[in-house]
Amino acid sequence: MANSYKFKGVALATTAETSLIASASNETIIIKSIRVTNNTSNTPTLSLDVLDSSTSTEFTILKTQSLTANTSVELLTVPLVLEKSDILKATVSSTDSIHIGISYLNIT
């Protein structure tokens, strides 16, 4: 079993639900931090969902978090676990420029 710490950055500028990070069928991901930066003077909202592949069900983790203009915010206060084949997804209310930084532990 190997453990490695990683970072993934995602730039969003679409209102479509977007996959941020997915665990492979042979790994677990423990997300320590999700840092979101609103790069505009607007105030869009952000929602996060996890697709739990073991039940084929999507669960809301964060619902319509308002993003203050030109600021950053940390979304997690506790770690978020993605089991094998789970997917973390984001939806933004407008096509504003949102950057998401995810720090996580990958366990294979």
Side-chain angles (χ1 to χ4, degrees):
M1 186 184 301
N3 296 338
S4 56
Y5 291 95
K6 297 187 176 191
F7 173 85
K8 180 172 184 182
V10 179
L12 289 181
T14 178
T15 57
E17 185 175 61
T18 304
S19 293
L20 299 177
I21 190 169
S23 58
S25 62
N26 64 341
E27 70 184 359
T28 298
I29 293 175
I30 300 174
I31 300 172
K32 173 66 175 152
S33 171
I34 301 176
R35 185 101 178 142
V36 178
T37 301
N38 177 4
N39 296 308
T40 70
S41 59
N42 297 326
T43 55
T45 60
L46 173 72
S47 295
L48 296 178
D49 299 294
V50 171
L51 175 60
D52 181 350
S53 67
S54 66
T55 63
S56 299
T57 306
E58 195 165 283
F59 295 96
T60 301
I61 302 302
L62 178 73
K63 184 70 173 173
T64 59
Q65 168 77 41
S66 183
L67 302 174
T68 305
N70 298 306
T71 61
S72 297
V73 63
E74 172 60 43
L75 298 181
L76 292 183
T77 57
V78 296
L80 176 63
V81 177
L82 298 181
E83 298 173 339
K84 65 180 185 173
S85 303
D86 288 354
I87 303 170
L88 176 64
K89 300 177 179 185
T91 306
V92 180
S93 65
S94 65
T95 57
D96 292 313
S97 177
I98 306 299
H99 288 179
I100 300 175
I102 303 169
S103 297
Y104 63 99
L105 174 63
N106 184 296
I107 304 168
T108 55

